[in-house]
Amino acid sequence: MIIALDAMGGDFAPASTVEGAIFAAKESKHKILLVGIEKILAGELLKYRGRYDVESLNIEIVNATEFITMDEHPAKAVRQKKDSSLSVCARLVADGKADAFVSVGNSGAAMSAALFYLKRIEGVLRPALSTVFPNIDGHCIIADVGANVDCAPEYLLQFGIMASLFCEKVAGVENPRVGLVSIGEESTKGNELTLAAFELLEKADINFIGNVEGRDIPGGKVDVAICDGFIGNVILKLGEGLTEMMLKLVRKELKQHPITWASLPFLWLAIRDLRKRVDYSEFGGAPLLGVEGVCIIGHGSSNGKAVKNAIFAGAETVKHNIAAGIREAILKYNNKVV
């Protein structure tokens, strides 16, 4: 597959993005298009010549004369900077020259570029940014986590349909359990948005199990959690903070107990596996569901490992042709309503 990477996007770009591209090219047969300022990217690649045979890797630099910073207004930046690395990535997918594009830069700009160049799938009211969230049994999908902070009930319904399909096809969960994030399990609990969305989701052709509370997400009660982007982003950021806190507390408490600290070599495998379970870099990025084509948006502070896994997430999403599946599911539902 051909994956276009916004090599200028992210807190540590282009060092982290070039490193991620090299990791991905070494571990797969995918072709990586490094999109950005050619002179800068060529210089970054040169740094790896002592360690890798860079010329043999399936990496190609695609020049872009501009890039979008993290603090720029998303839609305005995409409109004004048509030769930004992000815009060029989206056009490569729209023109059929790449199968997916990946960005760990300005997430709002990545969504704007996807909407501007790839367009929404017919019938989709709003695309949803989904993400993989760790739970006690493995992981679940949360949608939306920031693309739509203000939602209508119909948006949440479509998030449920799209995220359920993604969870089944890409995550491999058969008949995934879909829950609506609310303040209580009862169908009568919630605000006007969740009460109206509950009625729609209840009638949809998905495995909707009803309302779920915040604690149910890490508790493994659902495979897909549906909410507006405001709530979803709060859940995501709170989860990241709690993860860091728990790992630091484990380290701190171990140091305070000499006997336990001495047994650290015996605990190391368990601690290592725990870190891996909750490390965002293991998942790389989140797909923007509902656009024609594949757009993967990663964390701004992504390191090379996270960028590599975001590239792999893009390839996996392309492999399962999620856009076609969403198009069919939305059309089926709309026809049923009519």
Side-chain angles (χ1 to χ4, degrees):
M1 294 183 188
I2 303 175
I3 311 296
L5 174 64
D6 171 20
M8 307 303 295
D11 296 339
F12 309 115
S16 61
T17 49
V18 171
E19 182 180 52
I22 287 174
F23 289 165
K26 277 177 55 60
E27 296 178 25
S28 72
K29 295 181 180 179
H30 305 314
K31 181 173 184 178
I32 315 299
L33 302 179
L34 271 180
V35 184
I37 299 173
E38 187 173 11
K39 185 177 180 180
I40 293 176
L41 298 182
E44 284 294 327
L45 283 172
L46 276 174
K47 296 177 182 178
Y48 290 89
R49 280 193 171 170
R51 282 181 281 170
Y52 307 115
D53 183 8
V54 175
E55 287 77 10
S56 68
L57 297 177
N58 203 3
I59 296 175
E60 177 185 334
I61 295 176
V62 177
N63 189 46
T65 60
E66 303 171 296
F67 60 91
I68 296 173
T69 62
M70 299 294 275
D71 58 352
E72 288 188 75
H73 185 279
K76 185 178 179 181
V78 170
R79 286 195 304 269
Q80 293 182 344
K81 294 184 173 181
K82 289 185 168 52
D83 200 42
S84 68
S85 54
L86 191 48
S87 294
V88 172
C89 279
R91 281 203 303 272
L92 285 168
V93 176
D95 295 341
K97 296 177 181 178
D99 298 300
F101 83 88
V102 173
S103 177
V104 297
N106 186 318
S107 58
M111 289 183 281
S112 294
L115 284 169
F116 188 80
Y117 292 105
L118 304 184
K119 312 298 181 186
R120 282 193 306 243
I121 292 172
E122 185 177 357
V124 171
L125 300 171
R126 292 288 190 280
L129 184 59
S130 65
T131 194
V132 178
F133 194 90
N135 65 23
I136 194 69
D137 298 319
H139 307 97
C140 76
I141 307 297
I142 303 178
D144 178 62
V145 291
N148 308 274
V149 294
D150 295 304
C151 288
E154 292 78 12
Y155 302 173
L156 298 188
L157 164 67
Q158 291 195 349
F159 296 169
I161 293 171
M162 295 190 294
S164 178
L165 179 72
F166 178 81
C167 186
E168 183 175 3
K169 299 297 183 183
V170 178
V173 178
E174 186 177 352
N175 197 27
R177 299 161 297 167
V178 179
L180 176 65
V181 179
S182 189
I183 58 171
E185 295 182 355
E186 300 86 352
S187 60
T188 55
K189 292 285 185 72
N191 55 21
E192 291 183 6
L193 173 62
T194 56
L195 290 172
F198 187 100
E199 293 184 11
L200 295 175
L201 286 161
E202 203 172 26
K203 298 172 184 175
D205 190 20
I206 56 176
N207 184 17
F208 179 59
I209 65 168
N211 285 341
V212 292
E213 298 175 289
R215 63 186 174 187
D216 295 325
I217 298 173
K221 186 173 181 178
V222 289
D223 303 302
V224 175
I226 300 303
C227 54
D228 64 63
F230 187 94
I231 296 297
N233 197 266
V234 170
I235 292 171
L236 181 62
K237 298 297 172 58
L238 177 63
E240 290 174 359
L242 284 174
T243 296
E244 283 300 312
M245 181 194 73
M246 290 303 297
L247 291 172
K248 287 178 181 178
L249 282 176
V250 168
R251 194 179 302 118
K252 181 179 178 181
E253 293 302 319
L254 283 173
K255 287 181 178 180
Q256 290 181 357
H257 300 280
I259 295 176
T260 308
W261 182 253
S263 65
L264 184 59
F266 304 99
L267 301 172
W268 175 245
L269 289 178
I271 294 174
R272 184 196 64 184
D273 289 346
L274 173 62
R275 285 190 65 90
K276 188 173 181 180
R277 281 278 300 274
V278 298
D279 186 2
Y280 74 87
S281 68
E282 291 291 333
F283 315 116
L288 185 63
L289 302 174
V291 294
E292 289 285 4
V294 175
C295 165
I296 302 293
I297 300 174
H299 203 291
S301 59
S302 292
N303 56 19
K305 178 183 176 182
V307 172
K308 175 197 74 174
N309 286 328
I311 291 170
F312 289 164
E316 193 68 15
T317 305
V318 173
K319 175 183 173 183
H320 292 281
N321 202 1
I322 295 301
I326 288 174
R327 192 182 310 112
E328 182 181 342
I330 295 296
L331 179 63
K332 179 182 177 182
Y333 178 81
N334 288 344
N335 288 340
K336 182 180 178 182
V337 171
V338 172

